[in-house]
Amino acid sequence: MTMTHPTLARTLVPTSSLQRDLLLIAAGAAVVGLLAQAEIPLQPVPLTLQTLGVLLVGAALGWKRAFAALALYVAAGAVGLPVYAGGGSGLIAPGGTGLRASLGYLLSYPFAAALVGFLVERYGLDRRFVGTCLAMLAGSVVIYAFGLPVLGALTGLKGAALMTAGLTPFILGDTLKLVLAALLLPGAWTLLRRR
């Protein structure tokens, strides 16, 4: 399948090489790790800027590099690097009480970023406010499609209780992050066109 729109990364660094791709992948993982440290410690899943990073990395890198960057991020935290929310790491919940409640959300990140990257590369959705909102919304749906069922399985929460724990507290923040991304990405393209 032919991608018809270059990403921000490809536009800023047009020379293709393995070294460039590895650097972009590592940088994408690092950005998400840094944004994960901006945390409001809700239970059972904290509120962070992590998902903003996931969606922006997806749009900036394109689907293949974004998937790799977020897979690297999840793997780095899984093996003990303190890149998850609040400097956390590992797939076991703090206190060793079982798998961490945010596991489904973490596992969704490569897929959410890849979907956003695909939409950007295929349709150029990051060039306009509404298009960026649609791409980010699609990525957010993927995050909740993974996160909520796993959260329910790990905690035993169902129905309204599951929505209250894993969705409702995040709607306002996710909306604000979506709008922020929808301002940043088209703004970046506008600056590039002026150059």
PDB file of all heavy atoms in Angstrom, residues 26 29-30 33 36-37 50 71-91 100 106:
ATOM      1  N   ALA A  26      14.034   5.573  18.994  1.00  0.00           N
ATOM      2  CA  ALA A  26      14.478   5.798  20.374  1.00  0.00           C
ATOM      3  C   ALA A  26      13.958   7.133  20.908  1.00  0.00           C
ATOM      4  O   ALA A  26      13.522   7.218  22.068  1.00  0.00           O
ATOM      5  CB  ALA A  26      15.999   5.749  20.446  1.00  0.00           C
ATOM      6  N   ALA A  29      10.239   6.812  21.790  1.00  0.00           N
ATOM      7  CA  ALA A  29      10.063   6.113  23.066  1.00  0.00           C
ATOM      8  C   ALA A  29      10.418   7.032  24.229  1.00  0.00           C
ATOM      9  O   ALA A  29       9.718   7.049  25.258  1.00  0.00           O
ATOM     10  CB  ALA A  29      10.920   4.853  23.093  1.00  0.00           C
ATOM     11  N   ALA A  30      11.476   7.817  24.080  1.00  0.00           N
ATOM     12  CA  ALA A  30      11.904   8.727  25.145  1.00  0.00           C
ATOM     13  C   ALA A  30      10.875   9.822  25.400  1.00  0.00           C
ATOM     14  O   ALA A  30      10.604  10.173  26.555  1.00  0.00           O
ATOM     15  CB  ALA A  30      13.256   9.338  24.795  1.00  0.00           C
ATOM     16  N   GLY A  33       8.131   8.344  27.405  1.00  0.00           N
ATOM     17  CA  GLY A  33       8.618   8.126  28.760  1.00  0.00           C
ATOM     18  C   GLY A  33       8.679   9.405  29.577  1.00  0.00           C
ATOM     19  O   GLY A  33       8.325   9.415  30.764  1.00  0.00           O
ATOM     20  N   ALA A  36       5.113  10.568  30.413  1.00  0.00           N
ATOM     21  CA  ALA A  36       4.478   9.694  31.409  1.00  0.00           C
ATOM     22  C   ALA A  36       4.769  10.158  32.829  1.00  0.00           C
ATOM     23  O   ALA A  36       4.042   9.802  33.762  1.00  0.00           O
ATOM     24  CB  ALA A  36       4.958   8.252  31.236  1.00  0.00           C
ATOM     25  N   GLN A  37       5.804  10.981  33.004  1.00  0.00           N
ATOM     26  CA  GLN A  37       6.155  11.432  34.346  1.00  0.00           C
ATOM     27  C   GLN A  37       5.265  12.573  34.825  1.00  0.00           C
ATOM     28  O   GLN A  37       5.235  12.875  36.020  1.00  0.00           O
ATOM     29  CB  GLN A  37       7.629  11.826  34.401  1.00  0.00           C
ATOM     30  CG  GLN A  37       8.578  10.741  33.930  1.00  0.00           C
ATOM     31  CD  GLN A  37       8.221   9.347  34.425  1.00  0.00           C
ATOM     32  OE1 GLN A  37       8.079   9.129  35.626  1.00  0.00           O
ATOM     33  NE2 GLN A  37       8.063   8.404  33.503  1.00  0.00           N
ATOM     34  N   GLN A  50       1.083  10.714  28.973  1.00  0.00           N
ATOM     35  CA  GLN A  50       1.608   9.587  28.204  1.00  0.00           C
ATOM     36  C   GLN A  50       0.853   9.397  26.883  1.00  0.00           C
ATOM     37  O   GLN A  50       1.465   9.233  25.831  1.00  0.00           O
ATOM     38  CB  GLN A  50       1.446   8.358  29.087  1.00  0.00           C
ATOM     39  CG  GLN A  50       2.183   7.137  28.739  1.00  0.00           C
ATOM     40  CD  GLN A  50       2.030   6.121  29.877  1.00  0.00           C
ATOM     41  OE1 GLN A  50       1.042   6.116  30.599  1.00  0.00           O
ATOM     42  NE2 GLN A  50       3.012   5.268  30.018  1.00  0.00           N
ATOM     43  N   ALA A  71       6.562   0.047  20.967  1.00  0.00           N
ATOM     44  CA  ALA A  71       6.937  -1.294  21.406  1.00  0.00           C
ATOM     45  C   ALA A  71       8.212  -1.215  22.247  1.00  0.00           C
ATOM     46  O   ALA A  71       8.333  -1.879  23.285  1.00  0.00           O
ATOM     47  CB  ALA A  71       7.131  -2.218  20.209  1.00  0.00           C
ATOM     48  N   LEU A  72       9.159  -0.372  21.834  1.00  0.00           N
ATOM     49  CA  LEU A  72      10.382  -0.158  22.601  1.00  0.00           C
ATOM     50  C   LEU A  72      10.056   0.435  23.965  1.00  0.00           C
ATOM     51  O   LEU A  72      10.599   0.004  24.994  1.00  0.00           O
ATOM     52  CB  LEU A  72      11.336   0.761  21.830  1.00  0.00           C
ATOM     53  CG  LEU A  72      12.616   1.172  22.562  1.00  0.00           C
ATOM     54  CD1 LEU A  72      13.475  -0.045  22.899  1.00  0.00           C
ATOM     55  CD2 LEU A  72      13.396   2.185  21.717  1.00  0.00           C
ATOM     56  N   TYR A  73       9.160   1.404  23.999  1.00  0.00           N
ATOM     57  CA  TYR A  73       8.758   2.026  25.266  1.00  0.00           C
ATOM     58  C   TYR A  73       8.162   1.000  26.224  1.00  0.00           C
ATOM     59  O   TYR A  73       8.558   0.913  27.389  1.00  0.00           O
ATOM     60  CB  TYR A  73       7.763   3.160  24.993  1.00  0.00           C
ATOM     61  CG  TYR A  73       7.086   3.649  26.241  1.00  0.00           C
ATOM     62  CD1 TYR A  73       7.765   4.471  27.143  1.00  0.00           C
ATOM     63  CD2 TYR A  73       5.788   3.277  26.551  1.00  0.00           C
ATOM     64  CE1 TYR A  73       7.163   4.904  28.302  1.00  0.00           C
ATOM     65  CE2 TYR A  73       5.177   3.706  27.712  1.00  0.00           C
ATOM     66  CZ  TYR A  73       5.867   4.516  28.580  1.00  0.00           C
ATOM     67  OH  TYR A  73       5.274   4.936  29.740  1.00  0.00           O
ATOM     68  N   VAL A  74       7.210   0.203  25.738  1.00  0.00           N
ATOM     69  CA  VAL A  74       6.566  -0.807  26.587  1.00  0.00           C
ATOM     70  C   VAL A  74       7.599  -1.823  27.064  1.00  0.00           C
ATOM     71  O   VAL A  74       7.630  -2.195  28.249  1.00  0.00           O
ATOM     72  CB  VAL A  74       5.402  -1.487  25.844  1.00  0.00           C
ATOM     73  CG1 VAL A  74       4.846  -2.660  26.643  1.00  0.00           C
ATOM     74  CG2 VAL A  74       4.290  -0.471  25.555  1.00  0.00           C
ATOM     75  N   ALA A  75       8.471  -2.262  26.169  1.00  0.00           N
ATOM     76  CA  ALA A  75       9.501  -3.244  26.534  1.00  0.00           C
ATOM     77  C   ALA A  75      10.485  -2.670  27.552  1.00  0.00           C
ATOM     78  O   ALA A  75      10.883  -3.365  28.495  1.00  0.00           O
ATOM     79  CB  ALA A  75      10.245  -3.715  25.286  1.00  0.00           C
ATOM     80  N   ALA A  76      10.864  -1.395  27.377  1.00  0.00           N
ATOM     81  CA  ALA A  76      11.806  -0.764  28.308  1.00  0.00           C
ATOM     82  C   ALA A  76      11.228  -0.750  29.722  1.00  0.00           C
ATOM     83  O   ALA A  76      11.915  -1.078  30.696  1.00  0.00           O
ATOM     84  CB  ALA A  76      12.143   0.652  27.846  1.00  0.00           C
ATOM     85  N   GLY A  77       9.964  -0.387  29.837  1.00  0.00           N
ATOM     86  CA  GLY A  77       9.334  -0.395  31.149  1.00  0.00           C
ATOM     87  C   GLY A  77       9.154  -1.797  31.693  1.00  0.00           C
ATOM     88  O   GLY A  77       9.319  -2.043  32.891  1.00  0.00           O
ATOM     89  N   ALA A  78       8.840  -2.741  30.818  1.00  0.00           N
ATOM     90  CA  ALA A  78       8.616  -4.126  31.247  1.00  0.00           C
ATOM     91  C   ALA A  78       9.877  -4.736  31.844  1.00  0.00           C
ATOM     92  O   ALA A  78       9.797  -5.538  32.774  1.00  0.00           O
ATOM     93  CB  ALA A  78       8.126  -4.973  30.071  1.00  0.00           C
ATOM     94  N   VAL A  79      11.060  -4.352  31.318  1.00  0.00           N
ATOM     95  CA  VAL A  79      12.307  -4.930  31.827  1.00  0.00           C
ATOM     96  C   VAL A  79      12.904  -4.141  32.985  1.00  0.00           C
ATOM     97  O   VAL A  79      13.974  -4.488  33.479  1.00  0.00           O
ATOM     98  CB  VAL A  79      13.366  -5.111  30.706  1.00  0.00           C
ATOM     99  CG1 VAL A  79      12.867  -6.047  29.637  1.00  0.00           C
ATOM    100  CG2 VAL A  79      13.814  -3.772  30.150  1.00  0.00           C
ATOM    101  N   GLY A  80      12.222  -3.088  33.428  1.00  0.00           N
ATOM    102  CA  GLY A  80      12.649  -2.410  34.641  1.00  0.00           C
ATOM    103  C   GLY A  80      13.096  -0.974  34.532  1.00  0.00           C
ATOM    104  O   GLY A  80      13.416  -0.355  35.548  1.00  0.00           O
ATOM    105  N   LEU A  81      13.148  -0.407  33.332  1.00  0.00           N
ATOM    106  CA  LEU A  81      13.495   1.010  33.235  1.00  0.00           C
ATOM    107  C   LEU A  81      12.313   1.847  33.740  1.00  0.00           C
ATOM    108  O   LEU A  81      11.162   1.540  33.428  1.00  0.00           O
ATOM    109  CB  LEU A  81      13.845   1.386  31.795  1.00  0.00           C
ATOM    110  CG  LEU A  81      15.109   0.740  31.238  1.00  0.00           C
ATOM    111  CD1 LEU A  81      15.312   1.138  29.785  1.00  0.00           C
ATOM    112  CD2 LEU A  81      16.327   1.114  32.063  1.00  0.00           C
ATOM    113  N   PRO A  82      12.567   2.905  34.498  1.00  0.00           N
ATOM    114  CA  PRO A  82      11.482   3.672  35.136  1.00  0.00           C
ATOM    115  C   PRO A  82      10.802   4.652  34.185  1.00  0.00           C
ATOM    116  O   PRO A  82      10.799   5.864  34.397  1.00  0.00           O
ATOM    117  CB  PRO A  82      12.214   4.394  36.267  1.00  0.00           C
ATOM    118  CG  PRO A  82      13.596   4.611  35.723  1.00  0.00           C
ATOM    119  CD  PRO A  82      13.889   3.391  34.885  1.00  0.00           C
ATOM    120  N   VAL A  83      10.159   4.136  33.141  1.00  0.00           N
ATOM    121  CA  VAL A  83       9.565   4.994  32.109  1.00  0.00           C
ATOM    122  C   VAL A  83       8.041   5.062  32.170  1.00  0.00           C
ATOM    123  O   VAL A  83       7.438   5.879  31.489  1.00  0.00           O
ATOM    124  CB  VAL A  83      10.002   4.535  30.697  1.00  0.00           C
ATOM    125  CG1 VAL A  83      11.502   4.710  30.513  1.00  0.00           C
ATOM    126  CG2 VAL A  83       9.579   3.100  30.432  1.00  0.00           C
ATOM    127  N   TYR A  84       7.429   4.213  32.974  1.00  0.00           N
ATOM    128  CA  TYR A  84       5.975   4.258  33.095  1.00  0.00           C
ATOM    129  C   TYR A  84       5.571   5.416  34.011  1.00  0.00           C
ATOM    130  O   TYR A  84       6.419   6.083  34.599  1.00  0.00           O
ATOM    131  CB  TYR A  84       5.422   2.933  33.624  1.00  0.00           C
ATOM    132  CG  TYR A  84       5.601   1.746  32.690  1.00  0.00           C
ATOM    133  CD1 TYR A  84       5.505   0.462  33.181  1.00  0.00           C
ATOM    134  CD2 TYR A  84       5.855   1.896  31.333  1.00  0.00           C
ATOM    135  CE1 TYR A  84       5.654  -0.648  32.359  1.00  0.00           C
ATOM    136  CE2 TYR A  84       6.006   0.803  30.498  1.00  0.00           C
ATOM    137  CZ  TYR A  84       5.902  -0.466  31.010  1.00  0.00           C
ATOM    138  OH  TYR A  84       6.045  -1.557  30.196  1.00  0.00           O
ATOM    139  N   ALA A  85       4.275   5.624  34.153  1.00  0.00           N
ATOM    140  CA  ALA A  85       3.761   6.742  34.951  1.00  0.00           C
ATOM    141  C   ALA A  85       4.419   6.784  36.323  1.00  0.00           C
ATOM    142  O   ALA A  85       4.559   5.762  36.992  1.00  0.00           O
ATOM    143  CB  ALA A  85       2.246   6.620  35.103  1.00  0.00           C
ATOM    144  N   GLY A  86       4.829   7.992  36.714  1.00  0.00           N
ATOM    145  CA  GLY A  86       5.424   8.178  38.028  1.00  0.00           C
ATOM    146  C   GLY A  86       6.734   7.453  38.243  1.00  0.00           C
ATOM    147  O   GLY A  86       7.090   7.147  39.379  1.00  0.00           O
ATOM    148  N   GLY A  87       7.458   7.151  37.187  1.00  0.00           N
ATOM    149  CA  GLY A  87       8.729   6.436  37.313  1.00  0.00           C
ATOM    150  C   GLY A  87       8.563   4.950  37.543  1.00  0.00           C
ATOM    151  O   GLY A  87       9.494   4.268  37.942  1.00  0.00           O
ATOM    152  N   GLY A  88       7.377   4.440  37.245  1.00  0.00           N
ATOM    153  CA  GLY A  88       7.124   3.016  37.439  1.00  0.00           C
ATOM    154  C   GLY A  88       7.747   2.160  36.354  1.00  0.00           C
ATOM    155  O   GLY A  88       8.166   2.644  35.303  1.00  0.00           O
ATOM    156  N   SER A  89       7.806   0.879  36.635  1.00  0.00           N
ATOM    157  CA  SER A  89       8.316  -0.084  35.661  1.00  0.00           C
ATOM    158  C   SER A  89       7.754  -1.449  35.999  1.00  0.00           C
ATOM    159  O   SER A  89       7.148  -1.651  37.049  1.00  0.00           O
ATOM    160  CB  SER A  89       9.839  -0.127  35.674  1.00  0.00           C
ATOM    161  OG  SER A  89      10.305  -0.612  36.916  1.00  0.00           O
ATOM    162  N   GLY A  90       7.955  -2.384  35.094  1.00  0.00           N
ATOM    163  CA  GLY A  90       7.506  -3.749  35.308  1.00  0.00           C
ATOM    164  C   GLY A  90       6.033  -3.926  34.981  1.00  0.00           C
ATOM    165  O   GLY A  90       5.276  -2.967  34.931  1.00  0.00           O
ATOM    166  N   LEU A  91       5.672  -5.177  34.735  1.00  0.00           N
ATOM    167  CA  LEU A  91       4.279  -5.485  34.418  1.00  0.00           C
ATOM    168  C   LEU A  91       3.495  -5.929  35.647  1.00  0.00           C
ATOM    169  O   LEU A  91       2.287  -6.119  35.573  1.00  0.00           O
ATOM    170  CB  LEU A  91       4.214  -6.552  33.323  1.00  0.00           C
ATOM    171  CG  LEU A  91       4.893  -6.147  32.012  1.00  0.00           C
ATOM    172  CD1 LEU A  91       4.767  -7.263  30.978  1.00  0.00           C
ATOM    173  CD2 LEU A  91       4.333  -4.839  31.464  1.00  0.00           C
ATOM    174  N   ARG A 100      -0.164  -5.172  36.620  1.00  0.00           N
ATOM    175  CA  ARG A 100      -0.576  -3.772  36.810  1.00  0.00           C
ATOM    176  C   ARG A 100      -1.879  -3.486  36.079  1.00  0.00           C
ATOM    177  O   ARG A 100      -2.100  -3.974  34.964  1.00  0.00           O
ATOM    178  CB  ARG A 100       0.532  -2.798  36.431  1.00  0.00           C
ATOM    179  CG  ARG A 100       0.890  -2.701  34.999  1.00  0.00           C
ATOM    180  CD  ARG A 100       1.868  -1.569  34.656  1.00  0.00           C
ATOM    181  NE  ARG A 100       3.055  -1.516  35.456  1.00  0.00           N
ATOM    182  CZ  ARG A 100       3.382  -0.483  36.249  1.00  0.00           C
ATOM    183  NH1 ARG A 100       2.613   0.578  36.315  1.00  0.00           N
ATOM    184  NH2 ARG A 100       4.485  -0.511  36.957  1.00  0.00           N
ATOM    185  N   LEU A 106      -1.128   0.062  28.307  1.00  0.00           N
ATOM    186  CA  LEU A 106       0.267   0.001  27.839  1.00  0.00           C
ATOM    187  C   LEU A 106       0.391  -0.825  26.561  1.00  0.00           C
ATOM    188  O   LEU A 106       1.061  -0.420  25.609  1.00  0.00           O
ATOM    189  CB  LEU A 106       1.162  -0.590  28.925  1.00  0.00           C
ATOM    190  CG  LEU A 106       1.405   0.277  30.155  1.00  0.00           C
ATOM    191  CD1 LEU A 106       2.063  -0.537  31.263  1.00  0.00           C
ATOM    192  CD2 LEU A 106       2.251   1.489  29.804  1.00  0.00           C
TER     193      LEU A 106
END
